[in-house]
Amino acid sequence: MRLNRYLAASGLGSRRSCEEIILAGRVSINGTFIRSLATTVNEGDDVRVSGRRVTPPKTFTLLAVNKPEGYLSTRSDERGRKTVYDLLPDQFSRLFHIGRLDMESDGLMLLTDDGDIAQSLSHPTRKVEKEYEVTLDKELDPACVPKLLKGFMIEGGRARMESIRVVGPSRVKVILTQGIKRQIRLMFYKMEREVLRLTRTRIGTVRLGSLKPGGWKILDAREISKLREGTGPLKR
């Protein structure tokens, strides 16, 4: 198994963040410090990060959480603000979050210790759909829809919506496959609309459903299998 995958499977973060750990010289295998990203781990190897031995769990956890507004999508905050991890029992403290929701937004987040599925869901080439319900400060002009679908530049890059459907006078459903920071808010701001509420209701095949704000659930084997089928393996 490639070293970055091994570390991700051990709950140290995404493969990309694990590559940074390797390059920083913090990883040793059988007493030898490693900096090569091409390194593989064999059965029985003693793998340590900053002196602490790490091993992948025999089973993985994938957690769905309904993040309320006002919570950060991070493990901790130097200013003492509430985070999504404050909603969870201590047993899930080592799970890492797949993507983010800004503090003012609410809805579905996924947390896991499975580096493979985290990489597959977050990698831009996979184009995993994320669905949102958006409340605007005023009705959306139909002339804006083609512009949002075609896309335009915002802070962070060229942004576009995969689909947008009007469901009320000032409410729309939006599907994205990109992950640009504050993408929906910035795109509607360009259309002279302010987002009053933003709720993520779906990631891939996983839906928020009846999960209450602040609530969480462990996805079962069927749900995980369905999610994997929807993303497929990451081609390298």
Side-chain angles (χ1 to χ4, degrees):
M1 182 187 294
R2 287 283 287 269
L3 180 56
N4 64 340
R5 181 182 173 189
Y6 183 95
L7 296 178
S10 300
L12 272 74
S14 67
R15 288 188 189 178
R16 179 174 297 180
S17 62
C18 288
E19 288 175 354
E20 295 175 357
I21 295 173
I22 297 167
L23 294 173
R26 295 172 54 196
V27 183
S28 66
I29 299 179
N30 302 325
T32 301
F33 282 93
I34 304 296
R35 288 181 182 267
S36 171
L37 299 180
T39 303
T40 59
V41 179
N42 299 312
E43 187 174 355
D45 281 346
D46 183 328
V47 180
R48 296 177 182 265
V49 176
S50 300
R52 180 176 63 85
R53 187 167 187 178
V54 295
T55 56
K58 296 186 182 300
T59 59
F60 296 105
T61 299
L62 186 59
L63 206 67
V65 181
N66 186 348
K67 184 192 89 68
E69 184 179 341
Y71 282 73
L72 294 172
S73 302
T74 186
R75 193 178 301 276
S76 61
D77 179 62
E78 59 184 15
R79 294 164 56 185
R81 292 174 294 181
K82 296 178 293 185
T83 80
V84 66
Y85 289 88
D86 291 325
L87 303 169
L88 305 175
D90 290 342
Q91 70 193 83
F92 299 127
S93 62
R94 291 193 62 197
L95 300 183
F96 48 92
H97 52 84
I98 305 173
R100 295 175 180 268
L101 278 174
D102 61 50
M103 188 172 180
E104 298 85 4
S105 301
D106 62 274
L108 180 63
M109 287 188 65
L110 297 179
L111 292 86
T112 189
D113 50 9
D114 185 338
D116 282 344
I117 199 166
Q119 178 80 346
S120 188
L121 286 171
S122 59
H123 200 280
T125 63
R126 303 311 304 157
K127 296 188 179 299
V128 175
E129 289 189 351
K130 296 174 283 289
E131 188 172 9
Y132 302 81
E133 291 185 359
V134 185
T135 302
L136 303 171
D137 63 337
K138 53 187 174 181
E139 189 172 352
L140 183 66
D141 186 339
C144 295
V145 174
K147 299 176 184 178
L148 293 165
L149 295 176
K150 182 178 180 181
F152 45 80
M153 292 299 297
I154 62 171
E155 182 182 347
R158 183 172 180 82
R160 63 182 295 270
M161 296 179 178
E162 292 298 316
S163 76
I164 178 170
R165 180 164 59 92
V166 177
V167 294
S170 58
R171 291 178 58 243
V172 295
K173 286 192 175 183
V174 171
I175 293 178
L176 301 181
T177 58
Q178 297 176 291
I180 299 174
K181 185 177 180 179
R182 299 180 71 83
Q183 179 174 345
I184 292 176
R185 295 181 187 275
L186 291 173
M187 292 187 75
F188 279 122
Y189 181 75
K190 288 270 191 177
M191 300 293 106
E192 299 182 346
R193 300 294 187 276
E194 181 183 350
V195 173
L196 300 181
R197 184 173 183 184
L198 178 61
T199 302
R200 185 157 63 198
T201 57
R202 178 171 65 87
I203 300 174
T205 57
V206 181
R207 295 185 178 275
L208 185 63
S210 59
L211 196 60
K212 296 180 179 179
W216 56 271
K217 70 171 185 176
I218 298 175
L219 300 188
D220 60 31
R222 180 187 60 81
E223 291 171 305
I224 295 175
S225 177
K226 190 175 180 181
L227 184 62
R228 287 185 186 277
E229 289 172 5
T231 58
L234 183 63
K235 296 180 180 180
R236 296 186 178 277

